Amino acid sequence: MVYGALSTHRQTDPTALTIPLQARSVIYETKAVRGFWLNRWFGTASPEIALRALSRVRGLVADEVLSIPRGRPFPLERFAEAVSLAEAPAHGTKPLFVFEDGWGEGDR
């Protein structure tokens, strides 16, 4: 599974966008390759289906089947620094904006 290719959205080097794929796995192990863009899916899914999917994902996180990496908190005043981090190759974390009222503090 490849998750999160947003950091490559401005990539111009084709080798950086390559996913190693073994022909044997696809042919003999009947594995498949499928692309999925969440933003496009949210634009086409009904609100009920989207809510059901988000609820299922939340359950998988609660059951520790999936884990969400912690974000790196940034006050809104450091917006430019947060964007720079998000666009840096292999930054290893995602910026998380923390607002003065504390909203977002427990969400990282």
Side-chain angles (χ1 to χ4, degrees):
M1 177 184 291
V2 176
Y3 174 78
L6 288 177
S7 60
T8 61
H9 74 286
R10 293 186 184 159
Q11 183 58 257
T12 57
D13 177 9
T15 60
L17 300 173
T18 302
I19 301 171
L21 182 65
Q22 299 276 336
R24 165 176 248 139
S25 294
V26 176
I27 297 168
Y28 300 115
E29 297 174 25
T30 63
K31 292 184 179 174
V33 176
R34 181 174 167 242
F36 177 78
W37 187 20
L38 185 62
N39 193 41
R40 182 176 291 157
W41 180 81
F42 271 123
T44 60
S46 71
E48 295 80 20
I49 290 174
L51 188 59
R52 192 174 10 202
L54 290 171
S55 179
R56 183 169 180 212
V57 169
R58 184 177 43 179
L60 291 170
V61 171
D63 294 341
E64 298 182 354
V65 173
L66 296 176
S67 63
I68 299 172
R70 294 181 66 96
R72 180 171 165 197
F74 282 90
L76 203 49
E77 296 80 28
R78 291 176 45 204
F79 177 83
E81 185 181 343
V83 170
S84 292
L85 172 71
E87 292 189 339
H91 49 77
T93 187
K94 298 206 180 282
L96 172 70
F97 290 111
V98 180
F99 298 89
E100 281 185 28
D101 66 359
W103 183 84
E105 283 285 329
D107 297 330
R108 33 183 177 150

